[in-house]
Amino acid sequence: MTPEQPIRSAGRPAWASRNYSLLTAAAIVTNLGSQGALIAAAFAVLGSGGDSGDVGLVAAARTLPLVLFLLVGGALADRLPRHRVMVAANALSCVSQGLFALAVLSGRAELWQMALFAALGGTGQAFFSPASEGMLLSSVRGEQAGRAFAVYRMAMHGAGIGGAALGGALVALAGPGWVLAVDAGAFAVAGALRAFLDVRGLPVRPAGAGMLADLREGWREVTGRPWLWSIVLQFAVVNAVIGAAEAVYGPLVAEDSLGGPGPWGTALAAFGAGTVIGALVMTRWRPRRPLFAGVLCVLPLALPSAGLALPLHIAPLIAVMFVSGVSVEVFGVSWMTVLHQEIPEDKFSRVSSYDWLGSLALLPVATALAGPVESAVGRGTALWGCAALVLLLTLAVLFVPDVRRLRRAPHGAVAAGAPTEVPTAAPVGEMAQSAPVEVPPPGSGPGSADAEGAAGRQG
């Protein structure tokens, strides 16, 4: 066997390299734990005597370091071996969730402690996400990239749906502290899996001139591609308004018109099911103009806000949420496929960090302003405004020539240094020294590789 031939088991398809399989397995483990932990954290705050404002404070404590450190995380992931950055970030998340669990189980958890542990988890996510996306993009061949990303995302979303259901049941049965402890264990298992990633076959990345120089180089990579920066700007607003609609207005509409949290939870579950079906569709469909097809599929994301503004009865709202889930996943897979095709391998993580930053930056602002906007113009008008912004920005992006014209590379050809081969498998435990990888609702970076963080553009 030559060094260029990827090793795979007879039971895996040709595009499922060893690295890809390890990354997928680790993502399943972490999504099973993390989705339940999101529920557990809120109930832990409430169980300690906190109110809804305290729940928001702990959530903000996680988001702030995530936004602050994303660019640093992307630069480090393009400078250091990505798998080591991922393992270190998983270790930090494991420790922070473990301490959170111990504090809750002791019955003496205080608000500042829970905020601190959430902030440590957000810091870990800031370093993990760009490295994870860069490692995933590096783990597949060009010709099968779309199918590989679709299967990865289908597994990730399926695990997230199951994790949310199991987490909610375990919170009711055993309490939030034990669910947080399970999440800490999930991070430990996922980190162990990622420690065995093999990076010997990936291009050696030359050392940069420094952190700031690396960040400037990543910025030039983004701003020099109109299709890239226009979509990042589009989703900075789209993620923000959809997040406000679903996190703030959705529960209020459900309470007033749909019958409470049960029907709203069903509608959100329908969105999750739609993302799984959308990923399944993308295992078969390979659009010739992936960006054009993907951006067209952003238009249905205006439907949930419009449905809440009317408001629709629960059955049609469930249908609307399902369709939006399918649509956002078509975009997510198309986005990752284009990044894989067009971005040089040594810049994957820096581009990903700018993508994540754009996707998350306005979300806290939008959710904070949702209440005052509702008071000023009314809930219905605010929701129609969310839908209109999604439509207008998406239509504007369709006027960018590169978005309409960029075509899938024929026969797996890739551009600008993107990977054409997957690395060979190393013996278990053997590490390379040089190396090159969780929609905010419904997405976190247009194609974020893992749902350990925000929900992202990929759904």
Side-chain angles (χ1 to χ4, degrees), residues 25-127:
I28 290 172
V29 171
T30 47
N31 275 271
L32 282 170
S34 295
Q35 294 302 310
L38 292 175
I39 301 170
F43 279 95
V45 174
L46 296 174
S48 68
D51 56 19
S52 59
D54 295 328
V55 173
L57 178 63
V58 171
R62 178 181 176 83
T63 303
L64 181 60
L66 175 59
V67 172
L68 289 177
F69 293 117
L70 266 172
L71 295 183
V72 176
L76 282 178
D78 275 340
R79 178 180 287 265
L80 303 175
R82 290 187 182 119
H83 68 298
R84 294 186 176 178
V85 176
M86 295 166 69
V87 171
N90 281 165
L92 178 58
S93 295
C94 175
V95 170
S96 65
Q97 289 295 77
L99 293 174
F100 200 159
L102 287 174
V104 173
L105 290 171
S106 73
R108 295 190 295 271
E110 298 184 17
L111 182 62
W112 70 267
Q113 293 173 322
M114 293 185 282
L116 174 62
F117 300 144
L120 289 174
T123 302
Q125 184 62 31
F127 287 89

Side-chain angles (χ1 to χ4, degrees), residues 166-192:
L166 288 173
L170 285 174
V171 167
L173 181 65
W178 289 109
V179 177
L180 291 167
V182 168
D183 189 38
F187 277 116
V189 171

Side-chain angles (χ1 to χ4, degrees), residues 105-446:
L105 290 171
S106 73
R108 295 190 295 271
E110 298 184 17
L111 182 62
W112 70 267
Q113 293 173 322
M114 293 185 282
L116 174 62
F117 300 144
L120 289 174
T123 302
Q125 184 62 31
F127 287 89
F128 173 86
S129 296
S132 174
E133 188 152 313
M135 196 71 211
L136 178 63
L137 291 171
S138 298
S139 71
V140 298
R141 291 189 179 119
E143 61 183 311
Q144 294 291 347
R147 176 173 293 180
F149 297 145
V151 172
Y152 176 92
R153 292 165 65 89
M154 183 166 57
M156 182 183 72
H157 292 313
I161 294 170
L166 288 173
L170 285 174
V171 167
L173 181 65
W178 289 109
V179 177
L180 291 167
V182 168
D183 189 38
F187 277 116
V189 171
L193 289 171
R194 288 161 177 148
F196 295 126
L197 291 167
D198 174 32
V199 295
R200 292 178 303 169
L202 296 175
V204 176
R205 288 168 283 153
M211 180 71 68
L212 291 178
D214 286 351
L215 290 175
R216 285 194 296 268
E217 188 177 14
W219 176 252
R220 287 193 295 269
E221 195 70 34
V222 173
T223 57
R225 303 174 187 268
W227 60 267
L228 179 54
W229 63 256
S230 63
I231 291 177
V232 170
L233 286 178
Q234 172 198 8
F235 271 93
V237 178
V238 167
N239 278 338
V241 298
I242 292 177
E246 294 190 358
V248 179
Y249 299 138
L252 296 174
V253 172
E255 188 67 28
D256 293 343
S257 305
L258 301 178
W264 179 237
T266 303
L268 292 176
F271 173 84
T275 62
V276 175
I277 298 302
L280 182 61
V281 168
M282 294 305 288
T283 63
R284 298 291 184 182
W285 185 38
R286 299 174 64 197
R288 291 183 179 180
R289 291 185 290 170
L291 271 187
F292 182 63
V295 172
L296 280 177
C297 285
V298 178
L299 293 171
L301 297 187
L303 293 176
S305 296
L308 291 170
L310 289 172
L312 292 174
H313 293 298
I314 185 59
L317 182 61
I318 288 172
V320 161
M321 294 293 284
F322 178 81
V323 169
S324 65
V326 173
S327 299
V328 78
E329 198 59 19
V330 172
F331 171 82
V333 174
S334 300
W335 177 252
M336 292 190 74
T337 302
V338 171
L339 290 180
H340 177 270
Q341 175 180 302
E342 298 294 324
I343 303 300
E345 192 281 333
D346 64 328
K347 299 180 179 67
F348 276 162
S349 291
R350 275 170 288 175
V351 169
S352 174
S353 67
Y354 281 107
D355 176 14
W356 274 79
L357 181 63
S359 299
L360 294 174
L362 296 181
L363 184 59
V365 177
T367 52
L369 291 178
V373 169
E374 180 187 15
S375 299
V377 302
R379 187 187 305 162
T381 302
L383 282 164
W384 284 118
C386 292
L389 282 171
V390 173
L391 290 175
L392 290 173
L393 287 168
T394 303
L395 292 172
V397 167
L398 288 171
F399 281 95
V400 177
D402 288 349
V403 171
R404 300 193 308 273
R405 298 171 185 168
L406 194 150
R407 292 181 178 270
R408 188 181 73 245
H411 308 300
V414 293
T420 57
E421 289 291 335
V422 294
T424 58
V428 173
E430 185 175 329
M431 299 296 161
Q433 296 302 314
S434 62
V437 173
E438 261 193 294
V439 259
S444 319

